[in-house]
Amino acid sequence: MLLHDKIAVVYGAGGAVGSTVAAAFARDGAQVFLAGRTLDKVRKVAEQITGEGGTAEAAQVDARDEQAVERHVADVVGRAGRIDVLFNAIGMEDIQGTSLLDMPFEDFEHPVATAARTQFLTARAVARRMVARRSGVIMTITAEPSPAANLGGFMPACSLVEGLWRSLAVELGPHNVRTVVVRSAGSPDAPGVEAVSRMHAENNGAEFDDSEWGSHTMFGRLPRLAEVAGVATLLASDRASAVTGAISNVTCGAFVDL
């Protein structure tokens, strides 16, 4: 197992990405601590994992609340002794479907401010514990920077997160703590991705056709949630111990790394 005896924390664990990654971590041997704003959703994920023989615990945590994040991280370390892996799948609460020229500044700013606060607070809290042990990997997920209209502040928010992870890599590297971004192109089996795609199609006066999803990529399709989780599991493991400050291209060839 790639993550045997690892302690992993997943924020945003009630969502499609977070729950899939958490389950993948557990299947590969990690003990997972799941957190999210809606406890019922997180508990269901934990129950599914334990029902499959994994080890998972759920907690209600608002990642925008600095003290709540600090309490949760301290509680995990107090009970498990350490944190080996952090994976952030926290929603940005982005507002799409309106031209930037017509969008109120507050709508544009919201996902940027949300991403800045939640990603920073969770990463900082966990990184402080990892630095003390000189071990760990801090992970998050963003989307590919393809030019597209009416995305609001979503892409600026993703760019902010990737920049933060690069900065963390520089500061944490001397302490043997890694940072990795999993950059996806959106997974067709994630309900939120389908909803946004339908909305954009309607706004463009077109019918939504999921058969055309990913037709622009090299594979002619988009990455499934399980594929994203598989890459995350590998990068979280000791087999990727030389990888840090990296943005992993998990887009089925939506763009080419330079």
Side-chain angles (χ1 to χ4, degrees), residues 8 13 36 60-61 70 91 109 118 122 139 141 146 149 186 196 198 201 206 222:
Q60 185 173 28
V61 182
E70 290 291 341
E109 178 193 35
T118 59
T122 52
M139 309 179 70
I141 185 167
S146 298
V196 169
R198 287 185 181 278
L222 295 175

Side-chain angles (χ1 to χ4, degrees), residues 128-194:
R128 285 171 170 169
R129 277 71 177 186
M130 289 180 172
V131 164
R133 295 188 65 254
R134 296 189 56 79
S135 178
V137 55
I138 295 175
M139 309 179 70
T140 191
I141 185 167
T142 61
E144 101 283 1
S146 298
N150 304 328
L151 296 181
F154 178 65
M155 294 316 303
C158 288
S159 296
L160 179 147
V161 172
E162 292 180 0
L164 172 60
W165 251 242
R166 290 188 180 100
S167 296
L168 286 169
V170 174
E171 294 194 9
L172 300 179
H175 303 283
N176 198 41
V177 176
R178 303 190 290 117
T179 74
V180 178
V181 176
V182 177
R183 185 191 282 165
S184 175
S187 296
D189 48 342
V193 172
E194 179 176 350

Side-chain angles (χ1 to χ4, degrees), residues 3-197:
L3 301 180
H4 175 66
D5 198 36
K6 298 290 187 183
I7 306 299
V9 173
V10 180
Y11 284 105
V17 173
S19 61
T20 306
V21 169
F25 283 0
R27 282 194 296 272
D28 256 280
Q31 178 180 354
V32 292
F33 288 83
L34 315 180
R37 277 192 293 170
T38 306
L39 185 57
D40 286 345
K41 289 183 178 180
V42 181
R43 276 179 174 164
K44 287 180 181 178
V45 177
E47 289 170 358
Q48 290 172 354
I49 290 173
T50 56
E52 294 175 359
T55 304
E57 296 186 34
Q60 185 173 28
V61 182
D62 186 343
R64 299 170 299 185
D65 185 333
E66 182 174 0
Q67 296 306 314
V69 170
E70 290 291 341
R71 285 193 300 270
H72 177 249
V73 170
D75 179 65
V76 172
V77 172
R79 296 169 62 194
R82 67 187 191 280
I83 296 174
D84 299 303
V85 181
L86 165 67
F87 190 93
N88 271 347
I90 305 165
M92 297 179 181
E93 300 178 353
D94 46 293
I95 301 167
Q96 299 188 25
T98 302
S99 164
L100 289 173
L101 302 184
D102 299 321
M103 177 171 280
F105 174 72
E106 291 75 16
D107 289 355
F108 169 81
E109 178 193 35
H110 186 72
V112 179
T114 298
R117 184 170 185 84
T118 59
Q119 298 281 338
F120 177 81
L121 291 178
T122 52
R124 185 186 64 179
V126 174
R128 285 171 170 169
R129 277 71 177 186
M130 289 180 172
V131 164
R133 295 188 65 254
R134 296 189 56 79
S135 178
V137 55
I138 295 175
M139 309 179 70
T140 191
I141 185 167
T142 61
E144 101 283 1
S146 298
N150 304 328
L151 296 181
F154 178 65
M155 294 316 303
C158 288
S159 296
L160 179 147
V161 172
E162 292 180 0
L164 172 60
W165 251 242
R166 290 188 180 100
S167 296
L168 286 169
V170 174
E171 294 194 9
L172 300 179
H175 303 283
N176 198 41
V177 176
R178 303 190 290 117
T179 74
V180 178
V181 176
V182 177
R183 185 191 282 165
S184 175
S187 296
D189 48 342
V193 172
E194 179 176 350
V196 169
S197 298

